DNA sequence: TTAGTTAGTTATTGCACAATCACCAAGGGA
DNA sequence: TCCCTTGGTGATTGTGCAATAACTAACTAA
């Protein structure tokens, strides 16, 4: 018999086992059986702590949401300029994905897209919050003349998020054959240069 | 008993039923049972025409690849300038996705990512060909001074594909609550303007 | 007309998996 | 010390699904 733990401890053991295994096996091969084996209890023990398997996924989503939110807040607490912060937000996001590689897989999973409406809603909200955060910094950058003011901040944010998501999909399709953050940093630099150029041209600085 | 068809006809009926149902039910709810029902034959009849279920997916991939390739060739046959053609390539891609909405879902499916290595390889190759096509036009645009020459054409192509893929994911997560081609056209215009600006600045044309 | 080929059929198998049931033991208040 | 809450267990059930087996009937070419 497995050692007896408090319910609190077991719940978090189950969530982190689920995240680890969702990466190793793919989100849709994640069965209550393999989670139980990883945690070291019997399969039915899982259902002491989560009424259904979907509930495990919702707890996983909450865990990811908490860590993302913390990373964003961390960037926003720094006393840096808006363009710099946009770069840091994107980098933080890529680092988080690299550290928890199950995340893109979950975004692409049947669980999210078909089985578990609540899971989809949670990730949609999370993506929306990321968009708002970026768009806010873009607005500040435009106000300070560090980024072209001709374009709707929301569209700029969509382009930057598209960069992250396109990268994540390519990373995923390629079986992670390149470094996500390094590749992202290069593309991000390109995009930020493009976004800064006309602002610089307009104010006369940084012209070559 | 279902009407007897030639094997050729049945195969293509099965492929198009699979594409239709992959959209309606989600790619991973696609069972041989529901395909058979849609086509109007018994479930085991499917296995007359495809040795395994994975083989159905490979045929689906070939079908999609053929239609994409045709659409790209169609754009490349027109006597238009490279920047215009880049726009048309992206639009064609978005139209194709909108007309066959199972495509992003398949890209995000367990089938592709976990079960069916051949399927993943086929889509990876397809994405690679799209990238090459775009990068080629970018190179021409740079040669003709219509696009900034400072940036690696491959990176520009990655940004443009990121735009498409990010859009497709957002479309998918949002349950297709916006028009893919219209939204894409707006973002594309933004990105193409950014890419054209410094070229224009360098040659002195189109300066405001 | 008949024989061979091939598109079908019904019945069945075997597996993977979520979920439930009935029962058991650890261990901290009273 | 007793007991009762709670975290565990093994056995089992029901379902969904791909795939196979054994058989049948429709076309086609000689």
């Amino acid at each position: 018999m497995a050692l007896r733990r408090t319910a609190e401890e077991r719940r978090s053991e189950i969530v982190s086992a689920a995240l680890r295994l969702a990466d190793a096996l793919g989100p849709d091969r994640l069965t209550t059986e393999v989670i139980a084996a990883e945690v070291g209890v019997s399969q039915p023990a899982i259902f002491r702590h989560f009424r259904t398997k979907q509930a495990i996924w919702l707890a996983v989503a909450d865990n990811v949401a908490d860590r993302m939110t913390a990373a964003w807040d961390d960037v926003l607490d720094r006393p840096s300029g808006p363009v710099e912060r946009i770069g840091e937000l994107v980098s933080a996001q890529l680092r988080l994905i690299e550290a928890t590689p199950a995340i893109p897989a979950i975004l692409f999973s049947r669980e999210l897209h078909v089985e578990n409406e609540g899971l989809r809603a949670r990730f949609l909200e999370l993506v929306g919050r990321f968009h708002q955060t970026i768009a806010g910094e873009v607005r500040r950058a435009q106000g300070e003349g560090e980024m072209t003011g001709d374009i709707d901040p929301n569209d700029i944010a969509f382009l930057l998020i598209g960069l992250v998501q396109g990268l994540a999909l390519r990373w995923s399709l390629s079986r992670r054959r390149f470094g996500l953050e390094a590749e992202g940093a290069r593309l991000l630099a390109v995009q930020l240069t493009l976004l800064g150029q006309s602002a610089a041209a307009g104010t006369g600085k940084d012209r070559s």
Side-chain angles (χ1 to χ4, degrees), chain A:
Chain A
M1 188 170 176
L3 284 186
R4 200 184 158 96
R5 296 273 162 88
T6 66
E8 191 64 23
E9 283 170 327
R10 276 288 184 242
R11 277 182 68 91
S12 97
E13 279 185 12
I14 290 170
V15 167
S16 59
L19 264 171
R20 220 174 316 130
L21 292 167
D23 176 44
L25 309 178
D28 297 299
R29 285 218 172 131
L30 191 65
T31 67
T32 54
E33 183 69 47
V34 299
I35 297 176
E38 176 86 2
V39 169
V41 297
S42 66
Q43 179 257 343
I46 300 296
F47 290 91
R48 279 276 164 221
H49 304 284
F50 294 93
R51 286 200 49 219
T52 64
K53 194 192 171 191
Q54 294 200 347
I56 300 176
W57 279 112
L58 295 182
V60 164
D62 289 340
N63 173 297
V64 170
D66 289 349
R67 282 183 298 135
M68 283 196 180
T69 305
W72 303 338
D73 288 349
D74 190 53
V75 170
L76 296 181
D77 282 346
R78 289 179 215 160
S80 42
V83 174
E84 203 181 341
R85 282 159 75 156
I86 290 169
E88 283 166 359
L89 282 168
V90 170
S91 288
Q93 196 70 357
L94 292 174
R95 263 197 309 280
L96 226 148
I97 292 173
E98 213 154 11
T100 316
I103 292 173
I106 291 170
L107 279 175
F108 306 154
S109 69
R110 140 172 159 170
E111 189 62 37
L112 181 143
H113 282 269
V114 180
E115 316 270 283
N116 198 330
E117 176 59 26
L119 188 65
R120 201 186 58 79
R122 273 173 167 77
F123 273 97
L124 182 59
E125 200 237 324
L126 202 55
V127 170
R129 285 222 306 275
F130 189 54
H131 178 267
Q132 290 304 322
T133 307
I134 300 257
E137 293 304 311
V138 168
R139 219 166 276 120
R140 282 187 52 205
Q142 289 177 326
E144 296 176 13
E146 294 187 9
M147 195 175 274
T148 173
D150 303 341
I151 308 173
D152 184 340
N154 289 309
D155 284 349
I156 294 182
F158 281 138
L159 287 176
L160 291 167
I161 294 177
L163 188 155
V164 172
Q165 290 172 341
L167 210 51
L169 179 59
R170 185 155 57 94
W171 190 60
S172 191
L173 279 177
S174 81
R175 286 262 184 269
R176 301 171 194 169
R177 268 203 279 277
F178 56 89
L180 191 57
E181 205 195 347
E183 181 80 0
R186 208 188 66 245
L187 285 179
L188 183 65
V190 168
Q191 185 72 61
L192 287 177
T193 304
L194 289 172
L195 288 166
Q197 245 160 13
S198 67
T203 58
K205 66 177 175 183
D206 198 16
R207 195 83 139 292
S208 53

